[in-house]
Amino acid sequence: MFDAAHYVPVLKGRAGEFAALREADERVRSSLTPLIEIPPVPWDFEAERPAKNTGDHVAGIAEALRGAWGIERRLFLDAALLASEDLIEGRHPLAHVVESTRGLGVLVVPVWGLERGTPYLDAVRDAIASDERGACLRLESDDLEEPEDMPERIRGALNAVGLGPSDTDLIVDLGAITAEQRWTGATARLLLSALPTPQDWRSLTLVASSFPLDLSGFQRETIGSTPRAEWQMWRALHARRHRLDRLPTFGDYAISHPAPREVDPRIIQRSASIRYTVDEDFLIAKGRSVRLHGAEQQHDLAATLAERPEYHGESFSAGDRHIAACARRETGPGNAMTWRRVGTSQHLAYVTSQIANLAGP
């Protein structure tokens, strides 16, 4: 399906991420395959119950996927964040979403894992039989604790859906790592070496994220940074690629922490901020509380960021164009969704450029 000169970002299926995919240019779109995670059903903190039922929650996802990604290229779709008991008419919500995307022409490759339950596996088997696009097996951090058991467990997972490696995209997802875990590169090599027949998989991707859970550790009214440990890990693998049976494709969680997080909007003090990806780090431009000091702070943050030597210029990506326009006060300060779109857009453009530069002509 693709090789190591490609990119697999894991993105939550929310408005900001969808908008970033929609505005990506052709170079970026042809260089990546997104893995979209259907978010959990939102919680009504005041009523102390789900804000909607599962059917209503997933009803618009197929249209959102088509609007964001179109019908020309495949995408991975994972519904593991939905509660296993939240069935719709006795079937897993994944089955309903995939059926809706089929009617719209969206090229979905369903994602499954080692512990997903019978309704989920039924949805994956139905998609495989109807669409003949195979599926994506996602190994997560808990699955990787005993590498010696991986071959047998992987064979069991393949047998459960009736696929072989050549029809399966394999993702090894380390989840959240820290900047101090640079030794994870050695661990990643051991994990990759434990995979059965690494050359036989349709694609092989290594995913991780060192982006912090929140921005509370960054100083206000300044630009801080945190290392992109996942990129440093993959680049170390790239430097040793001749020692590997197969160099995996690079994957990350863009500008997000892997864990889904929903906080009570009545008590959260969201700060003005911009997330910006550079060679080795994430830059975090952080202001003060939007509730207390207003969203207009975004103009000053954008102006400060645009003056930094790391800023790539407004022609680099749609996200960079928005930062430049905001710095000149040609557009409004936006909201949290706006800046998730901006940061994700810039990140996708930058990472695909980094990988292309490493791959060479």
Side-chain angles (χ1 to χ4, degrees):
M1 187 174 177
F2 50 76
D3 59 17
H6 203 67
Y7 171 41
V8 178
V10 180
L11 304 174
K12 296 293 186 291
R14 295 190 169 117
E17 287 83 351
F18 283 145
L21 287 174
R22 185 167 54 249
E23 67 186 11
D25 63 25
E26 179 60 24
R27 180 195 68 80
V28 174
R29 297 172 74 84
S30 64
S31 302
L32 65 82
T33 299
L35 189 159
I36 306 297
E37 295 184 310
I38 300 176
V41 176
W43 186 256
D44 185 331
F45 287 89
E46 188 170 355
E48 297 185 348
R49 62 171 182 246
K52 57 178 74 172
N53 63 51
T54 306
D56 290 340
H57 177 61
V58 304
I61 289 177
E63 290 79 5
L65 291 171
R66 173 166 177 152
W69 195 241
I71 60 174
E72 296 83 15
R73 298 181 177 89
R74 296 185 180 193
L75 62 86
F76 299 129
L77 184 65
D78 197 332
L81 296 179
L82 297 175
S84 58
E85 67 272 13
D86 287 343
L87 304 182
I88 304 173
E89 299 175 352
R91 297 192 301 164
H92 195 278
L94 177 65
H96 293 267
V97 176
V98 172
E99 283 183 359
S100 298
T101 59
R102 187 176 300 131
L104 295 173
V106 183
L107 304 181
V108 167
V109 176
V111 177
W112 94 106
L114 299 184
E115 304 290 341
R116 296 291 176 98
T118 300
Y120 197 108
L121 290 178
D122 287 342
V124 172
R125 284 190 284 258
D126 289 346
I128 293 169
S130 297
D131 302 321
E132 299 183 340
R133 285 192 286 271
C136 172
L137 176 60
R138 185 179 184 184
L139 305 179
E140 301 182 83
S141 55
D142 290 345
D143 303 324
L144 306 173
E145 293 180 353
E146 298 179 351
E148 64 276 9
D149 295 337
M150 279 182 12
E152 181 178 354
R153 299 187 71 195
I154 289 172
R155 282 192 291 269
L158 293 175
N159 290 336
V161 298
L163 287 181
S166 62
D167 296 311
T168 304
D169 302 286
L170 181 62
I171 292 180
V172 179
D173 187 351
L174 303 182
I177 64 174
T178 68
E180 290 74 28
Q181 287 177 314
R182 290 188 175 88
W183 53 265
T184 308
T187 303
R189 290 196 297 275
L190 289 174
L191 289 172
L192 293 171
S193 67
L195 296 175
T197 59
Q199 294 288 0
D200 291 345
W201 301 95
R202 185 166 64 182
S203 68
L204 172 63
T205 302
L206 180 67
V207 171
S209 175
S210 59
F211 200 91
L213 182 62
D214 57 46
L215 305 185
S216 59
F218 294 90
Q219 186 177 346
R220 296 184 180 93
E221 298 183 310
T222 188
I223 296 183
S225 66
T226 186
R228 293 171 58 206
E230 64 276 9
W231 174 251
Q232 296 169 8
M233 177 182 67
W234 185 82
R235 199 173 59 179
L237 290 175
H238 184 275
R240 296 168 176 81
R241 58 193 180 278
H242 58 285
R243 302 180 186 177
L244 302 175
D245 291 328
R246 180 175 183 175
L247 176 66
T249 303
F250 174 71
D252 63 14
Y253 284 77
I255 57 168
S256 298
H257 187 275
R261 185 167 184 258
E262 189 171 10
V263 294
D264 190 338
R266 299 171 299 177
I267 61 174
I268 186 64
Q269 289 285 326
R270 183 180 70 84
S271 297
S273 64
I274 303 175
R275 307 174 183 205
Y276 196 80
T277 304
V278 297
D279 187 25
E280 296 282 339
D281 303 296
F282 296 106
L283 298 185
I284 307 296
K286 183 178 175 183
R288 305 187 74 81
S289 166
V290 171
R291 183 181 299 175
L292 298 177
H293 300 277
E296 295 294 320
Q297 302 170 77
Q298 294 287 164
H299 293 300
D300 294 332
L301 292 178
T304 301
L305 180 58
E307 293 173 355
R308 296 272 298 213
E310 300 97 331
Y311 176 64
H312 310 311
E314 61 184 292
S315 64
F316 184 76
S317 71
D320 286 285
R321 285 194 296 275
H322 189 95
I323 291 170
C326 187
R328 295 192 294 262
R329 297 179 181 264
E330 295 171 355
T331 187
N335 55 24
M337 187 278 285
T338 303
W339 291 99
R340 182 53 59 99
R341 170 182 63 82
V342 169
T344 304
S345 171
Q346 184 270 332
H347 180 88
L348 299 181
Y350 191 73
V351 173
T352 51
S353 177
Q354 281 188 304
I355 294 171
N357 289 338
L358 272 180

